[in-house]
Amino acid sequence: MAHWPFAVALTLGALVRVVVQLGYQPAFIFSDGPAYLALIDSFEPSADRPVGYGVLLRALSWATPDLGAVAATQHVLGLATGVALYVLLRRWGVPRWPATLATLPVLLDAMQLALEHSVLSDVLFMWLLVLGLAILTWRPRPSATTAALAGLVLGVAVLVRLVGEPVVLPAVIFCVMVGASRRRKVVTSLALVAAFGLPLVAYATWYHQERGVFSLAEFSGRSLYMRTTSFVDCSTVDIPAYERVLCPVEPVSQRRDPTYYLWHDDRTVPSLDLPVGVSVNQAARDFALRAIRNQPLDFLRVGARDFLLNFSPGRIDHYGYTTAYKWMFGSYVDYEPTVWTGPAYATYGGDQLVDHQPLSGAVAAYSRTVYLWGPLLLACLGLAVAGTLRRGPPTTSRLRAVALLLTLVGTGLMLMPDLTAEFVWRYQLPAVVLLPAAAALSWTRLKAAHADGT
């Protein structure tokens, strides 16, 4: 059997998901989970996030109110993501063992499993992202139709998670790199961009109809404000009086998680006394831009610092960040619902989270050891970059383009939150899924270059 290594890995991935599903019932609700679940009852555009994930939740709610169905569906999507990556890598000539190794993070990584078991949008986003990239790269030279289909899928992915907006740029770069002629490059790029924008324009039109603003959400300013709370020194910034409440009162060395200042500190955003015509999002954006212009080096330093955290050995808390526990299954053994999550469990399905020993204990131990180690992720990035920079035989030029596409998307989606919001381990997922695949492609190209003597 030519694909037996991957078949074994896929089987292991399926078995560990069965254990997770049986060990923790019905599913995890935390963070944005209750807000997503509210879309089941009131499906309307939200200022905080697009509602693409709500489509999946509403569809599943028509079949059953059991949140276990959400977790089970997302576990299947996780496996499907691994299969799609393996098929794509094999199609591009990656040998079976490197191709299998590249899928192990999406099949077995503990954070991937935790996100699949949570009412959060990450897993659906990654499935759509991988599907769109696979469609785009399926042929050595995509046709206009293929590029348009890929662009449409990638555009829909943005309606699940806004962080996907920049993905269109590396997709266009790929179309330019592999196009056989200038006309082909232009046609495929335009087809991709037009199809990518179609669902976004449609959603923004709906948003305008419901909320009076042509946008996908109104959160970017508040998100950027969170980023500045890690470094802003308000004594050096010229800030309007009504924005002064946004200044964290703690010294920079004692700042808390950026999320705290946006959502939980009554002295900041809730205390804003806004002038007529100024929204909370506008005030937060203006404050953040003033801070960045005044302290550009501090802004870059904090962004680079947080980006490098992705390559630290363990997924633990650093600096003011305090959410690493969310991605550890042990946190949900004997779990006590909060005032935020308890009502969500009661409303949607009616069952509170229960862990079942010994399965839950086994998964908790698993999550402490089975994950993509940060230095190994860095090695994947290094190998991926090396394979795209190294000269090789002309026959590997399109392989180079695919490796570059996955590298840019995986790295860019990991970097973006560090520059525009904050560091959260959950935001590492695109790199965990895509960089090992990019490394496998680059390894294949480097091997071909070595054999060719170039």
Side-chain angles (χ1 to χ4, degrees):
M1 180 178 173
H3 306 291
W4 73 264
F6 178 73
V8 171
L10 184 63
T11 301
L12 291 175
L15 289 175
V16 74
R17 283 164 172 79
V18 170
V19 174
V20 169
Q21 188 79 20
L22 295 176
Y24 296 88
Q25 296 179 352
F28 297 153
I29 301 177
F30 57 87
S31 188
D32 300 330
Y36 280 125
L37 287 169
L39 294 171
I40 294 176
D41 297 326
S42 179
F43 194 74
E44 58 187 23
S46 167
D48 295 338
R49 60 188 64 82
V51 301
Y53 182 54
V55 174
L56 174 64
L57 296 180
R58 283 175 67 88
L60 292 174
S61 72
W62 295 334
T64 174
D66 185 3
L67 291 180
V70 177
T73 299
Q74 294 183 166
H75 286 313
V76 172
L77 288 178
L79 293 173
T81 302
V83 171
L85 281 174
Y86 178 79
V87 171
L88 180 64
L89 292 175
R90 294 290 284 151
R91 184 171 179 82
W92 279 96
V94 178
R96 62 183 182 181
W97 277 106
T100 299
L101 291 174
T103 64
L104 290 183
V106 71
L107 293 177
L108 301 175
D109 188 287
M111 185 173 67
Q112 168 78 28
L113 298 175
L115 286 168
E116 290 176 12
H117 207 63
S118 305
V119 183
L120 292 172
S121 61
D122 303 71
V123 173
L124 177 60
F125 172 71
M126 284 308 306
W127 162 243
L128 290 171
L129 183 64
V130 169
L131 179 62
L133 295 176
I135 292 172
L136 181 63
T137 59
W138 190 247
R139 295 179 178 176
R141 300 188 191 278
S143 65
T145 302
T146 301
L149 180 57
L152 183 63
V153 174
L154 294 175
V156 172
V158 174
L159 298 183
V160 175
R161 289 191 61 80
L162 279 177
V163 72
E165 286 179 298
V167 167
V168 68
L169 297 177
V172 168
I173 292 173
F174 174 81
C175 289
V176 172
M177 289 182 67
V178 302
S181 64
R182 180 177 299 178
R183 181 180 180 277
R184 184 70 172 266
K185 297 175 192 289
V186 171
V187 169
T188 55
S189 297
L190 289 178
L192 185 143
V193 172
F196 179 82
L198 185 62
L200 306 187
V201 171
Y203 185 88
T205 302
W206 179 42
Y207 193 97
H208 179 269
Q209 181 181 350
E210 296 294 326
R211 304 184 67 92
V213 179
F214 192 78
S215 180
L216 300 179
E218 296 172 83
F219 189 73
S220 59
R222 288 178 287 166
S223 174
L224 196 59
Y225 163 68
M226 285 197 301
R227 175 68 293 171
T228 62
T229 61
S230 299
F231 66 84
V232 63
D233 180 359
C234 288
S235 66
T236 67
V237 188
D238 185 15
I239 301 174
Y242 71 90
E243 291 180 12
R244 281 281 166 183
V245 296
L246 296 176
C247 298
V249 299
E250 295 86 356
V252 173
S253 61
Q254 299 175 21
R255 295 280 166 86
R256 302 179 63 169
D257 189 309
T259 305
Y260 170 78
Y261 297 104
L262 178 63
W263 297 112
H264 306 297
D265 190 347
D266 292 336
R267 299 166 298 179
T268 57
V269 175
S271 296
L272 276 170
D273 185 10
L274 297 169
V276 176
V278 178
S279 68
V280 172
N281 193 58
Q282 290 171 323
R285 181 178 61 247
D286 291 344
F287 176 93
L289 292 177
R290 290 187 181 94
I292 292 170
R293 284 194 295 265
N294 187 68
Q295 299 173 253
L297 295 181
D298 289 329
F299 166 69
L300 294 175
R301 174 186 56 80
V302 169
R305 179 202 71 180
D306 286 4
F307 178 69
L308 292 176
L309 289 180
N310 289 287
F311 308 113
S312 55
R315 289 179 181 153
I316 60 176
D317 291 325
H318 297 276
Y319 306 112
Y321 300 115
T322 58
T323 61
Y325 72 92
K326 291 183 178 181
W327 325 116
M328 301 297 293
F329 281 90
S331 302
Y332 304 98
V333 174
D334 299 325
Y335 175 76
E336 292 293 334
T338 67
V339 294
W340 174 239
T341 63
Y345 277 113
T347 302
Y348 301 99
D351 295 325
Q352 299 292 318
L353 179 65
V354 177
D355 69 283
H356 298 278
Q357 294 287 1
L359 297 180
S360 60
V363 176
Y366 176 98
S367 72
R368 290 191 293 269
T369 55
V370 183
Y371 60 92
L372 184 58
W373 195 46
L376 187 55
L377 179 63
L378 181 60
C380 289
L381 175 58
L383 179 56
V385 171
T388 59
L389 295 179
R390 171 77 181 273
R391 290 184 58 190
T395 54
T396 66
S397 61
R398 289 188 287 276
L399 182 61
R400 177 188 191 186
V402 180
L404 179 62
L405 173 64
L406 298 190
T407 302
L408 290 176
V409 173
T411 307
L413 292 182
M414 182 170 59
L415 175 63
M416 280 294 293
D418 298 324
L419 293 176
T420 62
E422 61 174 337
F423 171 83
V424 178
W425 282 111
R426 164 189 173 191
Y427 300 156
Q428 187 193 55
L429 188 65
V432 169
V433 173
L434 296 177
L435 287 186
L441 289 163
S442 287
W443 179 85
T444 303
R445 182 171 186 269
L446 290 171
K447 185 178 179 182
H450 178 74
D452 190 65
T454 57

